[in-house]
Amino acid sequence: MNQIKLFSKEDAEEALAEVLNINDIQGIPDLYLEVKEDKCLSNWVKVGKVQLFPDTYIDPPLSSQGPKQKFIEALRAGFFEWYLPEKEDLRKEIEGALNQNKKPNTEKDVNEICNAVVHIAMKCGMAFPIFDAMALGLMQTKKPFSIVADTSSVLQGGIDFFEKHTSSSARIKIPALVHMEILNFVDRYFKQRYHDNPNISRMLVDHIRSQGGQRVLLRLEVNNEIEVERPRLGADPLRGIISISSDTEDKNLGLQVVQRSFADRLILETAVQHLNLVDPGHQVYLLTSDQGLARMALAENIKPIFFDSNEVNKLFGKSLSGIGFTPFTNDSTQLYHVPLMEILWELAINFGSSCVTNDSGEIILEIIALGQEVSWQPYHSTEDFLWGKKGKLENKIKEDKQNFSNLSKGPSLKLGSYSFSVKSMLKLIERLYKDGKGSDNELMSFLNISTNVGFGGYLNFLLSGEFVERKGRSISKLEKLDRLYLALNAENYQKIKNLLITIESFCSFIEKIKVGEGLQQEDSDFKKGIYTSFSNLADISCLGVRFVDKGVYSTPNIPSASDFAITALEAYEQVRKGEDFALTGTWLEKLIIQYGIHPVMVRNRLAEGHQAGYLKRYFEGSTPDTSFENRSILALENDQYGLGVRQFKLYHGDFLLPGRASVSLKLVKGEQ
């Protein structure tokens, strides 16, 4: 590992993108998130897998910041999924990693450590707390209201929900007792940290509660978009126990020791006191996951906003997206995103250290919040800096690039036996993925092919890419075919490209097509059947588009959402001919030929740019221009029947916005 240095989130994104920016024929690797506590855990614990969806191959790069910008945007804009482990698997891994001592680890503590992973997902916004129906109704008022939070809402993500999604109408009140309870967690953790024989599981729980709770309170303080109120000390119900009293009655009643029930009572008193201070029309709610406290609030005419802490168990084993819909909005298309670094930072703060690893278990990036070898300064927290170190994978990168270079320069295979139907090829890949193998006769019958010559086109194509192996009169799938099927099913065009490009004849075809210059069959050195098959394959892979009368155009470029907005407006101005609306097909054709952008990627980037505010789109329906019926594309379209292909006529207006006649469009520059 490299030397430890101070990282901002932007620095960490840059470091991780450098490693991911590998021209690897195996595609973008799956990443794993792991955590460790230097005193409690003897080894790293996996808390889930992350799959990135940069969905770009910039060649040449349209972004001035270079090809790795696609990974930075994916990390920053939430183009990923976090697959949480099953709770039982996580429990076993944590129990195996906990350092053993004379004090046994309790099941309750291990359960809370497991739940902390899901609470982190809630704090980051990748999952929401489960509120009851009454609470949902209370939160959707447009009138200002106040939220009094208890400690459970701070630790379990409830207060973060309000910070992110109701800040315009809610004023958040943090009772002094919540700060005090979290400071007690801090004190208890550090006492155990330097104890000779601590209770390891309890120590880790206190670490998560103390450091995680302090981060939430700090986040509230530095977020200027919300209003956080705190009671004056003289008016606070805690006044009698904050200062040490020699009163005998106080000692006998135990008022100098904060008991749990007494703490709940004081939090409720804060809500009652605040209700008496505000105007009659201003509502005050108590935010909690404590059923007893919620019932007590109802009994004293304080409405609780209750969320069920037991619902976290339903999230284990699920996939969480980095992009979600914003709640409480009339615009159902409004999205928000969670950067991957936000998760990595939260894991590091709660557990001490977090890291990103690859399939081989190599650490790509490690983030450290607390440990013996790192120090802390106040500006680290205010600027959200953490310590970190980057993995050394330079040798592997060089080896992968050399392998790819050797592959693309190798001798071509025979081209005469590669003619096939792309639609049937997808069905064959799906059949082999599910069944694992099949005899020649079975597969020929499945494809409705009666001759060995016709079947040879499919067989030789899969053999040349090492997707299958031949055993007598049958073929069996290899692991590489599984990856191809999953990439096709997920429409992960980066992985599709990287897998198909290993077929040397197809790689040779892709190298021949150019941006802005149509390649006709007679100029390609490919026979007609092969030319058609490879053209269609390039189309569904977003590598090229074939127009019958013009040839095949290369479409390797996928700009970022911000760069696409500039390109889209530029192409729109060129084709609109002084009118407000331009033909959608003409605009798409311009982006294909002149800018090398596939219509599928145009559709994705147009939606992203519209949501992000880079541009505004308007559609108008009318009768399609039938003089351009030969302007069409093939696109992957998965349905209940499995992998499929659909042909779209570019001038029909049903491609960019399915279900609507978007024959003409108007683009306007956004506010960003």
Side-chain angles (χ1 to χ4, degrees):
M1 298 293 288
N2 289 338
Q3 185 178 5
I4 295 177
K5 64 178 183 179
L6 210 56
F7 274 85
S8 67
K9 291 177 182 175
E10 291 74 18
D11 296 332
E13 287 172 345
E14 185 85 11
L16 186 54
E18 285 180 5
V19 178
L20 294 175
N21 185 30
I22 304 172
N23 198 2
D24 190 342
I25 64 174
Q26 301 300 325
I28 302 168
D30 288 330
L31 305 175
Y32 295 88
L33 298 179
E34 303 187 23
V35 296
K36 188 176 182 182
E37 213 278 354
D38 60 342
K39 294 289 186 179
C40 301
L41 298 173
S42 58
N43 53 269
W44 290 95
V45 173
K46 284 185 179 180
V47 293
K49 181 178 76 172
V50 169
Q51 185 176 5
L52 280 178
F53 302 102
D55 201 22
T56 70
Y57 13 74
I58 307 175
D59 183 22
L62 294 184
S63 171
S64 60
Q65 300 183 51
K68 72 178 179 182
Q69 180 66 16
K70 64 183 179 181
F71 295 108
I72 293 178
E73 287 198 0
L75 297 170
R76 187 174 299 169
F79 297 161
F80 63 87
E81 290 183 354
W82 179 11
Y83 299 88
L84 292 174
E86 296 289 348
K87 187 168 186 178
E88 189 59 33
D89 296 336
L90 182 59
R91 176 193 293 275
K92 290 179 180 178
E93 192 159 355
I94 290 173
E95 289 176 341
L98 282 170
N99 290 322
Q100 301 298 317
N101 57 12
K102 296 179 181 179
K103 298 178 181 179
N105 302 315
T106 65
E107 182 178 349
K108 180 181 178 182
D109 289 340
V110 175
N111 183 68
E112 186 166 347
I113 296 167
C114 292
N115 290 345
V117 176
V118 178
H119 292 152
I120 287 171
M122 290 183 172
K123 291 176 185 177
C124 294
M126 295 190 73
F128 292 155
I130 305 300
F131 296 97
D132 68 358
M134 184 180 74
L136 290 174
L138 296 176
M139 288 187 288
Q140 295 189 63
T141 177
K142 294 183 179 180
K143 297 180 180 179
F145 60 95
S146 294
I147 293 292
V148 177
D150 76 340
T151 309
S152 68
S153 65
V154 173
L155 300 178
Q156 298 176 14
I159 202 70
D160 280 287
F161 177 84
F162 278 87
E163 177 203 346
K164 293 178 173 66
H165 301 298
T166 62
S167 58
S168 59
S169 57
R171 292 204 295 264
I172 299 174
K173 190 177 186 69
I174 307 295
L177 185 62
V178 172
H179 292 266
M180 188 173 181
E181 284 194 294
I182 291 175
L183 285 175
N184 283 340
F185 296 146
V186 175
D187 181 64
R188 197 162 61 196
Y189 165 66
F190 281 104
K191 282 183 178 179
Q192 294 181 88
R193 183 176 176 86
Y194 300 110
H195 196 277
D196 293 336
N197 187 31
N199 184 318
I200 296 299
S201 61
R202 174 50 39 181
M203 177 179 169
L204 183 53
V205 168
D206 286 334
H207 186 158
I208 294 170
R209 287 178 172 180
S210 63
Q211 304 307 304
Q214 283 192 322
R215 178 167 176 79
V216 172
L217 298 179
L218 178 64
R219 188 160 53 236
L220 292 175
E221 180 64 32
V222 299
N223 188 346
N224 296 323
E225 296 181 0
I226 66 172
E227 181 180 351
V228 180
E229 298 179 350
R230 295 177 182 83
R232 292 179 297 124
L233 182 62
D236 196 283
L238 270 175
R239 180 180 57 175
I241 63 170
I242 289 176
S243 58
I244 298 177
S245 172
S246 59
D247 188 273
T248 305
E249 185 178 358
D250 285 354
K251 291 182 180 180
N252 293 335
L253 291 174
L255 294 183
Q256 294 178 339
V257 179
V258 179
Q259 304 293 336
R260 180 172 180 177
S261 58
F262 187 48
D264 288 348
R265 180 68 223 176
L266 290 174
I267 290 175
L268 182 57
E269 284 292 340
T270 303
V272 172
Q273 182 190 62
H274 188 59
L275 183 62
N276 293 331
L277 294 175
V278 298
D279 295 333
H282 186 94
Q283 294 296 327
V284 177
Y285 305 126
L286 179 66
L287 178 63
T288 182
S289 67
D290 187 324
Q291 295 183 23
L293 182 56
R295 290 192 182 98
M296 190 163 60
L298 284 170
E300 302 214 13
N301 199 29
I302 297 291
K303 294 180 180 179
I305 293 184
F306 175 76
F307 62 97
D308 192 348
S309 59
N310 294 322
E311 292 291 328
V312 299
N313 294 312
K314 297 181 180 179
L315 291 176
F316 287 101
K318 298 296 189 297
S319 172
L320 305 179
S321 174
I323 297 178
F325 288 100
T326 302
F328 310 138
T329 175
N330 293 326
D331 183 3
S332 61
T333 63
Q334 186 174 350
L335 302 175
Y336 72 95
H337 64 275
V338 179
L340 182 60
M341 291 306 116
E342 185 67 30
I343 301 171
L344 204 62
W345 251 239
E346 200 71 39
L347 288 170
I349 292 290
N350 280 262
F351 285 90
S353 298
S354 64
C355 72
V356 180
T357 63
N358 59 14
D359 293 324
S360 303
E362 298 170 299
I363 295 179
I364 300 174
L365 178 68
E366 181 179 352
I367 301 299
I368 306 167
L370 191 151
Q372 292 181 334
E373 54 186 346
V374 299
S375 60
W376 178 85
Q377 296 293 334
Y379 77 91
H380 294 176
S381 293
T382 56
E383 299 295 332
D384 216 1
F385 289 150
L386 290 179
W387 295 97
K389 44 189 176 181
K390 186 171 58 173
K392 290 185 177 180
L393 301 175
E394 290 85 353
N395 293 334
K396 184 178 186 301
I397 294 173
K398 292 178 181 178
E399 179 183 348
D400 289 337
K401 289 186 175 181
Q402 184 62 40
N403 290 340
F404 184 84
S405 176
N406 293 338
L407 171 67
S408 61
K409 294 179 181 179
S412 298
L413 296 176
K414 293 181 180 180
L415 303 179
S417 57
Y418 279 72
S419 179
F420 53 81
S421 161
V422 169
K423 183 177 180 180
S424 296
M425 177 63 79
L426 294 179
K427 294 299 181 184
L428 177 59
I429 291 171
E430 186 173 40
R431 166 73 180 266
L432 290 171
Y433 170 79
K434 294 179 179 179
D435 295 349
K437 61 181 179 179
S439 67
D440 290 356
N441 291 335
E442 290 173 345
L443 297 178
M444 287 172 64
S445 175
F446 173 74
L447 295 173
N448 197 23
I449 296 174
S450 58
T451 65
N452 290 332
V453 174
F455 182 60
Y458 298 86
L459 176 60
N460 291 330
F461 182 83
L462 294 176
L463 286 171
S464 65
E466 298 181 344
F467 297 108
V468 299
E469 62 179 351
R470 184 80 164 154
K471 293 181 179 180
R473 292 286 295 171
S474 66
I475 59 176
S476 301
K477 71 172 182 177
L478 297 174
E479 184 268 341
K480 194 174 177 183
L481 183 133
D482 288 344
R483 287 191 276 119
L484 177 60
Y485 171 79
L486 293 174
L488 289 165
N489 191 57
E491 297 182 23
N492 188 329
Y493 295 100
Q494 176 66 55
K495 286 191 175 181
I496 294 172
K497 171 199 171 182
N498 290 337
L499 289 165
L500 292 180
I501 211 74
T502 62
I503 301 172
E504 296 180 47
S505 54
F506 183 66
C507 180
S508 175
F509 177 82
I510 295 301
E511 289 177 347
K512 285 182 178 292
I513 60 177
K514 307 294 182 184
V515 175
E517 182 181 338
L519 178 69
Q520 295 283 12
Q521 185 264 320
E522 54 269 21
D523 301 322
S524 67
D525 298 328
F526 288 84
K527 293 182 179 180
K528 185 176 180 180
I530 306 164
Y531 171 84
T532 302
S533 298
F534 282 178
S535 298
N536 293 338
L537 192 61
D539 209 352
I540 68 166
S541 308
C542 293
L543 293 171
V545 173
R546 179 193 174 205
F547 297 142
V548 175
D549 57 334
K550 290 186 175 184
V552 185
Y553 292 88
S554 178
T555 56
N557 300 328
I558 301 177
S560 64
S562 57
D563 287 341
F564 174 77
I566 299 172
T567 302
L569 290 167
E570 184 178 300
Y572 167 73
E573 291 296 331
Q574 295 178 34
V575 300
R576 72 187 184 96
K577 299 179 180 179
E579 302 291 335
D580 286 340
F581 284 84
L583 287 177
T584 303
T586 307
W587 179 67
L588 289 170
E589 194 173 341
K590 173 68 71 173
L591 290 171
I592 292 168
I593 296 175
Q594 183 172 329
Y595 296 94
I597 307 175
H598 195 279
V600 170
M601 297 304 151
V602 171
R603 180 173 61 186
N604 296 343
R605 289 296 182 263
L606 182 62
E608 292 167 10
H610 177 73
Q611 297 296 338
Y614 295 123
L615 51 74
K616 296 296 181 183
R617 63 184 185 188
Y618 304 93
F619 293 109
E620 185 178 78
S622 59
T623 303
D625 190 338
T626 57
S627 61
F628 295 100
E629 290 295 283
N630 57 359
R631 299 291 192 272
S632 64
I633 64 165
L634 295 178
L636 286 173
E637 188 172 84
N638 302 324
D639 53 28
Q640 65 269 28
Y641 303 107
L643 293 180
V645 175
R646 181 180 173 185
Q647 184 183 50
F648 289 93
K649 304 288 187 180
L650 293 185
Y651 285 78
H652 279 205
D654 61 344
F655 175 68
L656 290 181
L657 203 62
R660 285 190 54 182
S662 51
V663 175
S664 301
L665 88 160
K666 175 183 176 181
L667 297 181
V668 178
K669 185 178 180 181
E671 298 178 358
Q672 292 200 16

